[in-house]
Amino acid sequence: MSVVRTGVSLAAPHTTENTEASASWLNTILKGDCVAALEKLPSRSVDLVFADPPYNLQLGGDLHRPDQSKVDACDDHWDQFESFEAYDGFTRAWLLAVRRVMKPDGSLYVIGSYHNIFRVGAILQDLGFWIMNDIVWLKSNPMPNFRGKRFTNAHETMIWAVKSKDAKPTFNYDALKTFNEDLQMRSDWHLPICTGTERLKDKAGLKVHPTQKPESLLYRVLTASSRPGDVVLDPFFGTGTTGAVARKLGRHYVGVEREQDYIDAATARIAAIEPGDAASLEMQQSKRSQKRIPFGSLLESGLLQPGTELTCPKGRHLAIVRADGSLKSGDHTGSIHKVGALVQGQEACNGWTFWHIQDGRKKAPIDELRKEIRSRLQA
Amino acid sequence: MSVVRTGVSLAAPHTTENTEASASWLNTILKGDCVAALEKLPSRSVDLVFADPPYNLQLGGDLHRPDQSKVDACDDHWDQFESFEAYDGFTRAWLLAVRRVMKPDGSLYVIGSYHNIFRVGAILQDLGFWIMNDIVWLKSNPMPNFRGKRFTNAHETMIWAVKSKDAKPTFNYDALKTFNEDLQMRSDWHLPICTGTERLKDKAGLKVHPTQKPESLLYRVLTASSRPGDVVLDPFFGTGTTGAVARKLGRHYVGVEREQDYIDAATARIAAIEPGDAASLEMQQSKRSQKRIPFGSLLESGLLQPGTELTCPKGRHLAIVRADGSLKSGDHTGSIHKVGALVQGQEACNGWTFWHIQDGRKKAPIDELRKEIRSRLQA
DNA sequence: GTGGGGAGTGAATCAAGCG
DNA sequence: CCGCTTGATTCACTCCCCA
């Protein structure tokens, strides 16, 4: 096994607990078998894994288009397995190796088709992984079904899993929502397949790798489940789409690949990429990670006075602000959240959005005042 | 176990090799456990199976919406399993029972979510079934992810499998292609969930079944993989969507269901349906094979003039018809479908029903003009 | 009748932090 | 680790009510 370095210098991982930013295996491609190569990595050192394992396609003879041209199928030797049992054993082995190097809250994405994805998913569950979502990549330009015997196979399936039910994986909800025109990102991703200049070709104009994934797919995976400086592992590196996108997005990568041709192509490809700088990588700030503002701060700052009257959105409930930062509404007293819940007879309530202050002729939630405090703190 | 008959009389199955059209179990709901009930059916007697087995959801506590309302989760006892092993055993048992009653060239569709579909798919392969496609049902109106911790779960997965690699299943390729505006039917199906008047409710207004499937989904399955007179089995009959669509499309059905409440609801539902007679099925055939009318035909025919103003149903969006058959609305230009999508900010739009023309005091969709063209072509 | 606003809801493995 | 407090979250569509 040898190590190929592209000599990239990037920001330090956001946590260096188990990962030295200068570790020799960072931003390299490890040559060799996936399981053996991963033994070189320390345990709990990887934030995100993207895996595009062999699909175990069971092709019969050659497939020809209606014009009799031959379809350039994926018939490489690495995609051949003798049986489901052999494929299952292979899958279990690399998933266990990957599991060891994943951080406890790290994420794993595996992509596949109906030939293999059901086996992968069941084994994931058997090994104790916890599935967060399955995601379908819908191809806007899939290969048609030439024989007219099936539905056009227009999608692939990706499984997002974590190491255990209790894991708290990175999920950049707000960034994804902004990306998606202020709507929650869904489990169906409409993306074109990898063509044009993005598709690596050799000197003869033939595609270098039969199943090169589009960068847009990796872009979304990394944006969703990693942060700048994180370590992203791809145990089936191929022509390095994962490494290319990682470098663009300011993540570290580690690849494992057996074929020297793919390693050469990936190395050149990644070296040619301009690494993302910090400013352009800044993501939509998660609301959750913002500094917590106690309700009492509104009184301290003078944005609210004791005795001010708050109402619910419909004006049916009234409450008085008291000097200690508590509310009083009828017989109920306590925090803004507790009183909001009590007057509605509910178990819980977000007082920041429930209670409103009269602002001229309009009502405004007291959350507006919190935002004002936050903007003052930043200035 | 008892038998519930709805007394439907339909055309004879297109093959009576192993099925007497007068068999006592045709167009009935067998009450009881799936495996036991299927023992009452002869081997090789079913053309198509649609199965919507328990998903084995592993829900934690209650889930509340941001407005504190409680989500009415699927927590029925029939969806509870002790372990993956228990679920696997259950799955193997019913799949073997189904396998026995399937004709050699029959088709099986199983629907599920990431909680169970990987196990189902792997077991299907282990039992010797041959997967033809996996199909993703994309929901236009899924339940959002309220906590912002995952991608919105916006799809379910369906596996189409046959008994062996050598099977030659019915696949009405041309009908589906015509149905899909002369494009091959793809593996991604965009359909809304079952709501409105289609959703069965009890006297209290509560949904009768927690997971009633939309008829549009079954319509497409039966259209793809069965012929009039075929026998369609649903081993988890629920409220009988499969039976209802089978009756509409002139197929025989057999259902298995354990809960009497569901049987009662399904029986009433199916009895109220007008069976598809030979003539109307013929009509459907011809409608499906209707010639595609390009929008430009409306201009050629003089039914529309260049410069005509079209509006959306609410009159908020305007567009001008151009001589080449494209629309222009603000900065957007393109086909009626594309511009309709753009002005609404949506990914897709059926321009035929979205764009309206002023017809006297009323608005009429331009689809009316297409119908006029078609009637001219037939005359 | 028609249009706008508000309420309701759907197969969901749906919280984090502190003491 | 348990228990309690605090706090963060929704999209598409249908139906009802009322102007």
Side-chain angles (χ1 to χ4, degrees):
Chain A
M1 187 185 314
S2 67
V3 166
V4 183
R5 306 209 62 170
T6 47
V8 183
S9 165
L10 289 169
H14 80 272
T15 166
T16 55
E17 191 186 352
N18 294 295
T19 311
E20 291 299 317
S22 58
S24 65
W25 46 271
L26 274 185
N27 304 309
T28 64
I29 307 171
L30 307 176
K31 180 170 178 179
D33 169 72
C34 167
V35 173
L38 288 179
E39 287 173 3
K40 304 295 179 188
L41 301 196
S43 299
R44 306 183 168 208
S45 56
V46 164
D47 297 281
L48 173 61
V49 181
F50 178 85
D52 183 15
Y55 282 14
N56 191 27
L57 300 181
Q58 292 138 55
L59 305 174
D62 291 337
L63 178 62
H64 294 266
R65 296 189 178 82
D67 64 4
Q68 297 307 319
S69 64
K70 182 169 173 284
V71 172
D72 184 16
C74 176
D75 54 0
D76 300 70
H77 60 87
W78 49 255
D79 199 45
Q80 309 293 323
F81 290 85
E82 288 199 351
S83 63
F84 286 131
E85 288 70 28
Y87 189 80
D88 291 351
F90 161 79
T91 302
R92 249 186 298 271
W94 75 257
L95 280 175
L96 282 171
V98 157
R99 189 177 170 85
R100 185 185 68 82
V101 301
M102 283 173 68
K103 291 184 183 175
D105 290 332
S107 281
L108 164 66
Y109 285 71
V110 190
I111 189 167
S113 69
Y114 66 83
H115 305 87
N116 71 323
I117 198 66
F118 304 120
R119 314 203 75 82
V120 170
I123 291 170
L124 275 171
Q125 292 177 316
D126 290 340
L127 294 181
F129 284 93
W130 189 248
I131 298 179
M132 299 291 291
N133 277 113
D134 61 335
I135 294 153
V136 286
W137 166 32
L138 299 164
K139 306 176 183 182
S140 52
N141 45 353
M143 168 126 51
N145 184 286
F146 296 116
R147 296 267 173 82
K149 298 296 179 188
R150 306 174 178 214
F151 298 101
T152 301
N153 210 342
H155 74 277
E156 291 185 25
T157 301
M158 213 162 35
I159 301 175
W160 171 26
V162 291
K163 286 179 79 169
S164 77
K165 186 175 180 178
D166 305 318
K168 308 283 182 224
T170 296
F171 183 62
N172 297 306
Y173 175 80
D174 294 288
L176 289 162
K177 188 171 178 179
T178 304
F179 185 92
N180 195 34
E181 305 194 37
D182 287 335
L183 293 178
Q184 283 189 339
M185 190 68 82
R186 299 169 33 128
S187 58
D188 52 324
W189 298 3
H190 299 247
L191 301 169
I193 60 177
C194 182
T195 57
T197 56
E198 189 188 327
R199 185 88 199 214
L200 297 186
K201 304 276 176 64
D202 62 18
K203 291 170 187 169
L206 301 171
K207 48 195 183 190
V208 175
H209 194 281
T211 66
Q212 186 181 339
K213 294 291 175 289
E215 294 194 3
S216 57
L217 186 75
L218 273 295
Y219 192 103
R220 198 173 289 186
V221 170
L222 267 64
T223 301
S225 294
S226 73
R227 290 182 274 185
D230 274 4
V231 177
V232 182
L233 164 68
D234 187 334
F236 306 96
F237 204 60
T239 48
T241 306
T242 301
V245 175
R247 181 162 156 115
K248 274 186 191 170
L249 291 177
R251 277 72 164 164
H252 298 277
Y253 69 88
V254 194
V256 180
E257 178 53 52
R258 298 193 304 189
E259 310 279 333
Q260 188 61 46
D261 286 352
Y262 296 160
I263 293 177
D264 294 342
T267 304
R269 174 187 186 181
I270 296 171
I273 284 175
E274 191 69 25
D277 63 285
S280 65
L281 294 176
E282 209 163 299
M283 281 188 295
Q284 176 80 21
Q285 182 75 8
S286 167
K287 291 170 189 166
R288 192 166 292 133
S289 65
Q290 287 180 350
K291 188 169 170 17
R292 185 173 153 246
I293 308 292
F295 177 66
S297 302
L298 304 189
L299 295 162
E300 291 172 352
S301 67
L303 284 172
L304 266 184
Q305 284 76 38
T308 302
E309 203 170 74
L310 302 182
T311 67
C312 73
K314 296 178 185 171
R316 281 196 285 230
H317 299 293
L318 294 181
I320 303 294
V321 178
R322 302 198 293 186
D324 62 354
S326 67
L327 288 195
K328 180 175 172 61
S329 180
D331 289 337
H332 304 304
T333 58
S335 73
I336 54 172
H337 312 294
K338 185 179 172 187
V339 175
L342 285 170
V343 299
Q344 296 179 90
Q346 293 182 336
E347 289 193 3
C349 166
N350 180 351
W352 290 106
T353 54
F354 178 73
W355 294 111
H356 287 60
I357 188 171
Q358 202 69 22
D359 181 14
R361 287 189 178 177
K362 288 183 179 176
K363 286 193 184 70
I366 56 177
D367 198 31
E368 293 298 325
L369 302 177
R370 182 167 63 164
K371 285 179 187 166
E372 171 62 21
I373 297 253
R374 283 196 168 124
S375 69
R376 287 185 192 178
L377 285 173
Q378 285 191 348
Chain B
M1 192 185 311
S2 67
V3 166
V4 183
R5 305 211 62 171
T6 47
V8 184
S9 166
L10 290 168
H14 79 272
T15 165
T16 54
E17 191 185 350
N18 294 292
T19 310
E20 291 299 318
S22 58
S24 64
W25 47 270
L26 273 184
N27 304 308
T28 64
I29 306 170
L30 308 176
K31 180 171 180 179
D33 170 72
C34 167
V35 174
L38 288 179
E39 286 172 4
K40 305 295 178 188
L41 301 196
S43 300
R44 306 183 169 209
S45 55
V46 164
D47 297 281
L48 173 62
V49 181
F50 178 86
D52 183 15
Y55 284 12
N56 191 25
L57 301 183
Q58 293 145 55
L59 305 177
D62 290 339
L63 178 64
H64 294 265
R65 297 186 177 81
D67 65 3
Q68 301 301 324
S69 65
K70 186 165 170 285
V71 172
D72 184 17
C74 176
D75 53 2
D76 299 69
H77 62 89
W78 48 255
D79 198 48
Q80 311 290 326
F81 291 84
E82 286 200 352
S83 63
F84 284 132
E85 289 68 30
Y87 188 79
D88 291 350
F90 161 79
T91 301
R92 252 186 297 270
W94 75 257
L95 281 174
L96 282 171
V98 157
R99 189 177 171 85
R100 186 186 66 83
V101 300
M102 284 173 69
K103 291 184 184 175
D105 289 331
S107 282
L108 164 66
Y109 285 71
V110 190
I111 188 167
S113 68
Y114 66 85
H115 310 85
N116 71 322
I117 199 66
F118 302 118
R119 314 203 75 81
V120 170
I123 292 170
L124 275 171
Q125 291 177 316
D126 290 341
L127 294 181
F129 284 94
W130 187 250
I131 298 180
M132 299 291 292
N133 277 114
D134 60 335
I135 293 153
V136 287
W137 166 30
L138 299 169
K139 305 177 182 182
S140 56
N141 47 350
M143 173 142 52
N145 183 290
F146 295 114
R147 294 297 182 117
K149 294 295 168 186
R150 305 174 176 215
F151 299 100
T152 302
N153 211 343
H155 73 277
E156 291 184 25
T157 300
M158 218 165 27
I159 300 175
W160 171 27
V162 291
K163 287 178 79 168
S164 76
K165 188 175 179 177
D166 307 317
K168 307 279 184 233
T170 295
F171 184 61
N172 298 306
Y173 175 79
D174 291 302
L176 288 163
K177 188 171 177 181
T178 307
F179 186 91
N180 195 32
E181 303 202 20
D182 285 341
L183 295 176
Q184 284 190 342
M185 188 67 82
R186 298 168 34 125
S187 57
D188 53 322
W189 296 3
H190 299 246
L191 300 169
I193 60 177
C194 182
T195 59
T197 54
E198 188 187 329
R199 186 92 197 209
L200 298 186
K201 304 277 177 63
D202 62 18
K203 291 170 187 169
L206 300 171
K207 52 193 183 194
V208 175
H209 194 282
T211 68
Q212 186 182 339
K213 294 290 174 291
E215 294 193 4
S216 57
L217 186 76
L218 272 295
Y219 193 101
R220 199 172 288 187
V221 169
L222 266 65
T223 302
S225 294
S226 74
R227 289 182 273 185
D230 275 4
V231 176
V232 182
L233 164 67
D234 187 334
F236 306 96
F237 204 61
T239 48
T241 306
T242 301
V245 175
R247 183 162 154 115
K248 275 187 190 170
L249 291 178
R251 275 74 165 164
H252 297 278
Y253 69 88
V254 193
V256 180
E257 177 54 51
R258 298 193 305 188
E259 311 279 332
Q260 188 61 45
D261 287 351
Y262 297 159
I263 293 177
D264 294 342
T267 304
R269 174 187 188 181
I270 296 170
I273 284 175
E274 192 68 26
D277 59 291
S280 74
L281 291 174
E282 196 62 34
M283 284 293 292
Q284 239 155 20
Q285 194 70 23
S286 65
K287 183 182 178 187
R288 213 177 290 132
S289 61
Q290 274 178 348
K291 190 175 177 344
R292 180 171 158 252
I293 308 294
F295 177 65
S297 301
L298 304 189
L299 294 161
E300 290 172 350
S301 68
L303 283 172
L304 266 186
Q305 283 75 37
T308 302
E309 207 169 74
L310 303 181
T311 68
C312 72
K314 296 180 181 170
R316 281 197 283 230
H317 299 294
L318 294 182
I320 302 296
V321 178
R322 302 198 293 186
D324 61 357
S326 67
L327 287 195
K328 180 175 172 61
S329 178
D331 289 331
H332 303 305
T333 57
S335 72
I336 54 171
H337 311 295
K338 182 181 173 187
V339 175
L342 285 170
V343 300
Q344 296 178 93
Q346 295 181 340
E347 290 196 5
C349 166
N350 181 351
W352 290 106
T353 55
F354 178 72
W355 293 111
H356 287 61
I357 188 171
Q358 202 67 25
D359 183 15
R361 286 189 179 176
K362 288 184 179 178
K363 287 193 185 72
I366 56 177
D367 198 33
E368 293 299 321
L369 302 177
R370 181 166 65 164
K371 286 179 186 165
E372 171 63 20
I373 295 253
R374 283 199 168 123
S375 69
R376 288 186 191 181
L377 285 173
Q378 285 190 347

